[in-house]
Amino acid sequence: MPEARYAVFGHPIAHSLSPRIHAAFARQTGIALQYTAIDAPPEAFADILAAFAAGGGRGGNVTMPLKEQAHALCASLTPRARAAQAVNTLTWRDGQWHGDNTDGAGLVRDLTGRHGLDLRGRRTLLLGAGGAARGVAGALLEAGVLELAVVNRTAARADALVDALGQPGRAYSRYWDDLANQGDFELIVNATSAARGTGAGAFNAPITLVNSRTVAVDINYGEAAIPFLAWARAAGCLRVVDGLGMLVEQAAEAFEAWHGVRPDTQPVYEELHAQHARLVTAD
Ligand code: ATR
């Protein structure tokens, strides 16, 4: 019987924090496990995942750009993974992969738990309609936001996301070019990948989106979160939050699903947050 193995799959994957997060959870809970980062170009992902299972792979996290592909490779899906059409957590059971999406739960837990925010009643603006946006949209509605306006560069994707949410009136799409006419929001979530990679320019949106209570959240972290959060600060948002806490919380959800133990995320978050702040300011 090969040793149980866990991994995060992505392309590129070298800078993923997931191996460190799962190693820290494992130390904390006394669970012995092997968790590595595996680079998987999209065209090779299916074969790499099959080889991983054959070699003792029992669980995987999936990140850019493989979440939709992981969704297609699963024998069964949780309702939230089916709704997102994207999988970030794979569990090997009965000779098959089973898919979940813990991104939305991770975001809501970070905002309501760590940051002490009450999401209920907030007019909410979601920027983006890709896999990441689909992963968090349903959880934001479930957390009780008043309404969810979805805006995306490609309008048809925002329409498709809103259709899939199935709450007409409460979740609706709007045009990016028409943002100045949408009033103000108490929660603005950036789920676009616009600032990932090098050479990203400044983020721009009308400051009329912001009121005195607005919390701005970027589900990216590190350098990829800088342009949107810089705009949010300049626009006068009350709080700005990056995606590091969400990353740790979605990892904890996966860890609990695999090992049956809920890790304490706060010390792991604090250590990464301290190091990350140093990394960002060092540049
Ligand atoms: P992810 O899994 O991270 O969501 P994705 O499915 O490729 O990745 O989606 C990327 C999201 O970022 C999309 O909403 C995309 O908008 P389009 O649907 O119009 O492509 C958005 N995005 C990427 N680059 C962008 C840019 N330069 N400006 C605005 N939105 C951008």
Side-chain angles (χ1 to χ4, degrees):
M1 187 76 183
E3 184 189 8
R5 294 173 57 204
Y6 298 84
V8 58
F9 299 88
H11 186 66
I13 199 64
H15 298 293
S16 172
L17 294 175
S18 292
R20 284 179 56 194
I21 294 171
H22 280 269
F25 289 165
R27 272 196 306 278
Q28 186 193 91
T29 55
I31 291 170
L33 62 87
Q34 190 195 3
Y35 188 111
T36 54
I38 298 179
D39 186 71
E43 63 279 9
F45 179 44
D47 289 343
I48 289 172
L49 194 61
F52 176 67
R58 292 297 170 263
N61 287 123
V62 182
T63 186
M64 285 244 306
L66 305 171
K67 290 183 186 182
E68 281 87 355
Q69 222 182 316
H71 170 266
L73 290 169
C74 284
S76 74
L77 298 162
T78 59
R80 58 192 183 179
R82 186 172 300 114
Q85 295 164 42
V87 159
N88 79 333
T89 304
L90 293 162
T91 302
W92 184 254
R93 214 170 41 238
D94 304 325
Q96 293 176 313
W97 287 113
H98 302 271
D100 192 8
N101 191 314
T102 64
D103 281 338
L107 175 65
V108 168
R109 190 179 275 266
D110 180 55
L111 295 179
T112 58
R114 174 165 299 107
H115 296 287
L117 297 168
D118 189 347
L119 302 185
R120 289 171 299 178
R122 288 180 187 257
R123 270 198 96 212
T124 299
L125 175 63
L126 178 62
L127 303 171
R134 291 199 306 270
V136 301
L140 290 169
L141 287 171
E142 259 173 48
V145 300
L146 183 67
E147 52 188 64
L148 187 70
V150 182
V151 172
N152 193 49
R153 180 178 60 179
T154 309
R157 269 183 120 185
D159 294 343
L161 167 50
V162 162
D163 283 350
L165 290 169
Q167 298 197 31
R170 189 166 171 232
Y172 51 83
S173 58
R174 291 290 182 263
Y175 291 113
W176 199 287
D177 288 345
D178 203 26
L179 273 176
N181 300 314
Q182 301 312 317
D184 51 353
F185 294 85
E186 285 82 36
L187 180 63
I188 305 177
V189 179
N190 178 38
T192 75
S193 62
R196 285 188 217 138
T198 50
F203 176 89
N204 243 315
I207 60 167
T208 49
L209 296 171
V210 172
N211 66 30
S212 61
R213 289 186 61 214
T214 304
V215 175
V217 182
D218 199 321
I219 68 161
N220 302 286
Y221 62 89
E223 295 191 3
I226 289 175
F228 172 72
L229 295 183
W231 170 83
R233 282 193 193 89
C237 286
L238 182 65
R239 303 268 300 270
V240 303
V241 176
D242 76 3
L244 191 62
M246 170 181 162
L247 180 76
V248 176
E249 295 303 328
Q250 63 80 29
E253 292 263 327
F255 191 92
E256 185 175 11
W258 294 333
H259 309 294
V261 186
R262 177 119 210 145
D264 180 6
T265 55
Q266 192 57 18
V268 179
Y269 170 78
E270 280 171 10
E271 188 187 330
L272 291 174
H273 183 70
Q275 288 174 1
H276 227 81
R278 271 206 302 279
L279 279 177
V280 169
T281 50
D283 279 343

